Amino acid sequence: MRILLWVEFQKLRRSNIILFTIFATILIAVIVFAGGITTVSDDQLTTNVSGWYMTITQVWATMFVLPAVIALLGSYMICREEQDDTLKSLRLIPVNETKLTIAKMIVALIFSILVYLLLFMITFTTEAVLHFSNLSMAVFMNFLKMYFLEGVGVFFAVSPIIAIVPYLKKSYWLALVVAEIYSFAGLFMSMSNTLKTFYPITAVFGVSGYYETSIQSYSCSFGILILCSCISAILLKNLNHKQKGKND
C-alpha cells in the first residue's frame, strides 16, 4: 500500500491539476479579502475584530470552489488509467485494483486536507497582519481544527461524485460541474435547520464546529457524511467488479 500511495503522489506531482487547485485556493482567498475591504468597517479591518476573514473565507471556499476542485482531482485519479489506456499495462504487472483504488481515495483525502490547510495558512497569516494583538493560541487552534475537519468532511461529502463519474464512464471534468452545483445548492439548504443538518455540504459545517449544533444534529450530520463514504465505497467496489468482468 505504501508503494501505491507513493506512486500516486508522484503522478500528481506531474499533473496540472495541482497548480489549478493552488491557483483556485489563492483566488478565493483574494476575492474574499477584496470583498471584505468594501463591506467591513475600518475598525473591523484593522484592529477591533479578529477572525472575520478566516470565517468568511471558510464558507465561501466550501460553497463555491473547493468541493468541485476536490471532486475533480479524485475523479481524475480514478478515471486516469482507463481514459489514458494504461489500465491494461497495470493488469500485466499485476496490480491489485482494489488496493489501487483505495490508495487513490486516500491520496484524494490527504489532498483535500492539505488544500484546506493551505487556505488556513493564507487566511491566518492575513489575520495576523491585520490584527496580530487580538489573536491567541486558542483562536489559532480553533480555526485550525475547523479547517482540518472541513477538509475531511468535504472529501466525504463529494466522495459519491468522485465514484459515480468513473462508474458511469464519464469524463472526470463532469465531477467538477456536478460538485459545483452540489456545493452551491448548500446555500439554499442552509436556510432550513433540518436541511442543513442532512445535506452533506452543510453538514460539514456542523461537524467542523463552524456553527453550534445539538448532539442529535451533530450525530445526524456525522452520519450523513459516513453514509456518503459508504455509497462511494459501494460504487467503487462495483466498478472494480465490472472491470474484472470485462478483463475475464
Side-chain angles (χ1 to χ4, degrees), residues 1-245:
M1 180 61 71
R2 285 185 298 177
I3 295 176
L4 292 175
L5 291 172
W6 180 82
V7 169
E8 291 302 320
F9 274 114
Q10 294 303 309
K11 290 178 182 177
L12 279 181
R13 288 178 58 186
R14 299 190 296 269
S15 173
N16 291 330
I17 290 183
I18 297 296
L19 295 177
F20 171 76
T21 302
I22 294 174
F23 173 77
T25 304
I26 295 174
L27 181 63
I28 189 63
V30 171
I31 290 174
V32 173
F33 184 74
I37 292 176
T38 60
T39 58
V40 177
S41 67
D42 291 339
D43 287 340
Q44 289 177 315
L45 186 63
T46 55
T47 57
N48 291 340
V49 178
S50 61
W52 68 266
Y53 181 52
M54 289 187 285
T55 301
I56 297 175
T57 306
Q58 181 183 359
V59 176
W60 276 43
T62 300
M63 290 295 189
F64 296 106
V65 179
L66 295 187
V69 172
I70 293 165
L72 171 64
L73 175 100
S75 294
Y76 166 74
M77 293 177 65
I78 301 294
C79 296
R80 179 175 51 200
E81 270 75 22
E82 185 166 358
Q83 294 187 4
D84 293 348
D85 202 27
T86 59
L87 190 59
K88 295 178 182 178
S89 300
L90 290 175
R91 286 170 177 161
L92 296 175
I93 296 177
V95 172
N96 187 309
E97 292 183 28
T98 299
K99 289 185 178 180
L100 180 61
T101 301
I102 293 173
K104 291 175 182 293
M105 294 299 281
I106 292 175
V107 171
L109 170 60
I110 295 173
F111 178 83
S112 179
I113 295 171
L114 291 177
V115 167
Y116 269 90
L117 291 181
L118 171 62
L119 187 63
F120 169 75
M121 289 174 60
I122 295 171
T123 55
F124 184 81
T125 301
T126 304
E127 289 275 5
V129 172
L130 293 176
H131 26 62
F132 181 79
S133 60
N134 287 349
L135 296 176
S136 63
M137 183 57 67
V139 172
F140 175 85
M141 295 304 298
N142 183 51
F143 276 99
L144 177 61
K145 181 203 73 173
M146 282 195 290
Y147 274 77
F148 176 84
L149 291 178
E150 282 209 29
V152 176
V154 166
F155 169 78
F156 284 147
V158 301
S159 60
I161 298 175
I162 294 175
I164 193 66
V165 170
Y167 184 81
L168 297 176
K169 296 192 177 301
K170 302 295 183 179
S171 170
Y172 50 80
W173 287 102
L174 178 63
L176 179 72
V177 177
V178 174
E180 185 62 33
I181 298 172
Y182 175 60
S183 58
F184 182 75
L187 286 175
F188 305 96
M189 299 300 174
S190 62
M191 298 177 184
S192 166
N193 288 331
T194 301
L195 291 177
K196 76 178 182 180
T197 298
F198 290 96
Y199 191 70
I201 291 295
T202 49
V204 172
F205 293 116
V207 172
S208 68
Y210 173 76
Y211 56 75
E212 294 183 2
T213 61
S214 64
I215 296 177
Q216 182 179 3
S217 296
Y218 182 92
S219 300
C220 291
S221 296
F222 184 79
I224 286 296
L225 296 178
I226 295 299
L227 178 61
C228 287
S229 67
C230 292
I231 292 172
S232 65
I234 292 171
L235 289 171
L236 291 173
K237 182 178 180 181
N238 290 335
L239 173 65
N240 286 331
H241 286 167
K242 287 169 62 177
Q243 291 174 342
K244 288 181 180 178

